[in-house]
């Protein structure tokens, strides 16, 4: 517990773009919300190592941890777990990529950041990451 009556989960996530400038979002099996690829670090992993490993496992993108660019660290309501807060360390992957769902990923969707946002995005994405990305895109 983190003192607010909710559980706290530590995660790493990665912002990945395709050659059209769209942001990759994923939906895990048995869930409804779309989010970044990423997940919980394994014992002894740094945030960047966890982000790199999860990116490869979930969507087949291989980026070395030292190539990931830090974007920020935020607390957000967990998208798919009740009474849970996540502490997310978010990175961006340099370059443009193609992604293929694997592991626990049921679906991928490339998000057009210039179009109206869908209503099924995770709070971390809508409340923290998209506002942080906006100045970088100007």
């Amino acid at each position: 517990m983190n003192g607010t009556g909710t559980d706290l989960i530590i995660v790493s996530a990665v912002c990945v773009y395709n050659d059209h400038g769209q942001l990759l979002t994923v939906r895990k099996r048995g869930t409804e919300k779309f989010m970044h690829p990423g997940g919980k670090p394994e014992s002894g992993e740094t945030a960047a190592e966890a982000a790199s490993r999860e990116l490869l496992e979930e969507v087949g993108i291989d980026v070395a941890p030292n190539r990931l660019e830090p974007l920020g660290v935020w607390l957000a309501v967990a998208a798919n777990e009740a009474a849970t807060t996540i502490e997310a360390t978010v990175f961006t992957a340099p370059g443009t990529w193609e992604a293929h769902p694997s592991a626990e990923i049921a679906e991928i969707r490339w998000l057009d950041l210039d179009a109206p946002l869908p209503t099924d995005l995770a709070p971390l994405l809508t409340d923290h990451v998209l506002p942080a990305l906006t100045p970088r895109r100007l």
Side-chain angles (χ1 to χ4, degrees):
M1 299 294 247
N2 67 3
T4 61
T6 62
D7 291 328
L8 179 67
I9 297 174
I10 307 296
V11 299
S12 293
V14 187
C15 297
V16 174
Y17 296 93
N18 65 14
D19 57 4
H20 300 291
Q22 298 169 315
L23 180 67
L24 177 64
T25 60
V26 300
R27 184 179 60 77
K28 297 184 180 188
R29 285 190 184 88
T31 67
E32 296 179 6
K33 298 286 187 184
F34 281 81
M35 60 190 61
H36 301 92
K40 301 171 193 159
E42 293 179 351
S43 180
E45 271 187 327
T46 66
E49 289 167 343
S52 174
R53 176 184 49 77
E54 290 281 351
L55 193 58
L56 182 59
E57 289 174 2
E58 292 184 352
V59 294
I61 295 173
D62 190 5
V63 180
N66 65 348
R67 297 223 33 238
L68 294 173
E69 300 166 0
L71 180 63
V73 179
W74 293 280
L75 291 175
V77 174
N80 298 310
E81 300 183 47
T84 302
T85 298
I86 59 170
E87 179 183 304
T89 302
V90 182
F91 300 89
T92 58
T96 59
W97 304 91
E98 292 183 13
H100 308 283
S102 56
E104 71 268 21
I105 303 303
E107 183 180 358
I108 66 170
R109 181 173 68 196
W110 293 97
L111 186 64
D112 182 347
L113 299 177
D114 295 322
L117 296 177
T119 59
D120 58 357
L121 298 177
L124 172 66
L125 188 55
T126 58
D127 298 348
H128 302 288
V129 175
L130 290 178
L133 289 175
T134 299
R136 291 177 166 224
R137 299 182 69 238
L138 297 177

